[in-house]
Amino acid sequence: MKTRSITEVAKEFLGTDLPKDGVICDFTMGGGHDTLYLSDLVPEGKVYAFDIQPLALERTSRRLEEAGGRSNVELILDSHENFDRYVTGGFDAGMFNLGYLPTSDHVVTTKAETTLAAVTKAVEQVKVGGTVVVVVYPGHPEGKREGEMLLEFAASLSDKKFDATYYRLVNIPDCPFILAFQKRK
Ligand code: SAM
């Protein structure tokens, strides 16, 4: 069996049976791989994709065009903790794929404080039954801080309201891991 990448596993936490007219947030657009995948989960709905780097919007827009175009995607140049300025009616699922834009100069990375603010707000605002999934890369210093803060946040959530899942390989130190937050019905 082919080994699945950490982002493939993360997407499995979102499921494939979202409402066709649902709303999904891609909180870290990057090169648009995740945006493209998410757009196909809600063909009659909408994906709001966020990034703070114009390069990410350029890459994603090109990727979507090369895939034939996607009219259900809005690309937004803004930080993810501001997502509720654009997404006002709640959303069905959300994905954070933290860290650096691959093959960029690695100057811009997600930051622990803003990530925690955005994840906290996303978990509050996701619809009942919906999931917010986060891929964390603790192999660099800021990613390690992000991971520690997010794990503490996840452990603090009420089990009456959320299933908070921690998924990782236990035999590789500092390997990427997943936190998935599902709001209970
Ligand atoms: N999802 C992407 C894909 O499919 O290619 C990969 C995302 S990449 C690992 C992380 C991205 O998060 C980078 O493009 C970076 O610019 C972006 N980022 C960093 N800080 C951010 C913030 N505050 N709000 C939104 N995006 C941010």
Side-chain angles (χ1 to χ4, degrees):
M1 198 172 103
K2 180 180 164 279
T3 310
R4 292 164 304 158
S5 70
I6 192 83
T7 51
E8 283 170 336
V9 177
K11 286 166 185 156
E12 288 177 14
F13 280 93
L14 300 178
T16 50
D17 56 351
L18 288 156
K20 291 219 173 320
D21 61 351
V23 174
I24 303 181
C25 294
D26 182 352
F27 292 105
T28 48
M29 177 194 318
H33 302 87
D34 301 329
T35 311
L36 179 60
Y37 173 85
L38 298 171
S39 74
D40 290 337
L41 292 182
V42 287
E44 294 153 27
K46 182 126 184 185
V47 174
Y48 294 90
F50 298 86
D51 207 292
I52 50 171
Q53 297 196 69
L55 179 60
L57 274 76
E58 282 166 34
R59 287 193 187 170
T60 300
S61 153
R62 201 174 327 124
R63 184 171 306 284
L64 296 175
E65 270 166 37
E66 283 168 6
R70 292 291 184 283
S71 57
N72 64 339
V73 178
E74 185 173 338
L75 306 184
I76 298 165
L77 183 65
D78 200 350
S79 184
H80 38 218
E81 80 272 23
N82 298 325
F83 77 88
D84 52 348
R85 293 183 187 166
Y86 310 87
V87 185
T88 51
F91 60 98
D92 298 278
M95 178 164 181
F96 289 81
N97 187 359
L98 301 175
Y100 300 104
L101 182 61
T103 72
S104 65
D105 53 12
H106 282 204
V107 172
V108 181
T109 182
T110 51
K111 297 272 186 333
E113 280 76 14
T114 40
T115 299
L116 181 63
V119 171
T120 303
K121 213 192 262 189
V123 164
E124 276 164 18
Q125 295 190 19
V126 70
K127 290 182 185 167
V128 169
T131 299
V132 174
V133 70
V134 187
V135 185
V136 186
Y137 299 86
H140 65 105
E142 192 62 20
K144 199 168 188 70
R145 263 182 12 98
E146 272 180 321
E148 287 164 1
M149 287 169 81
L150 289 169
L151 271 168
E152 197 180 326
F153 167 70
S156 76
L157 289 171
S158 159
D159 64 348
K160 296 197 172 53
K161 291 192 189 151
F162 295 98
D163 287 333
T165 305
Y166 177 31
Y167 176 101
R168 62 160 294 174
L169 299 179
V170 292
N171 57 344
I172 303 183
D174 288 337
C175 64
F177 66 83
I178 295 168
L179 286 170
F181 304 90
Q182 187 179 30
K183 194 174 266 180
R184 282 172 169 265
K185 291 196 176 150

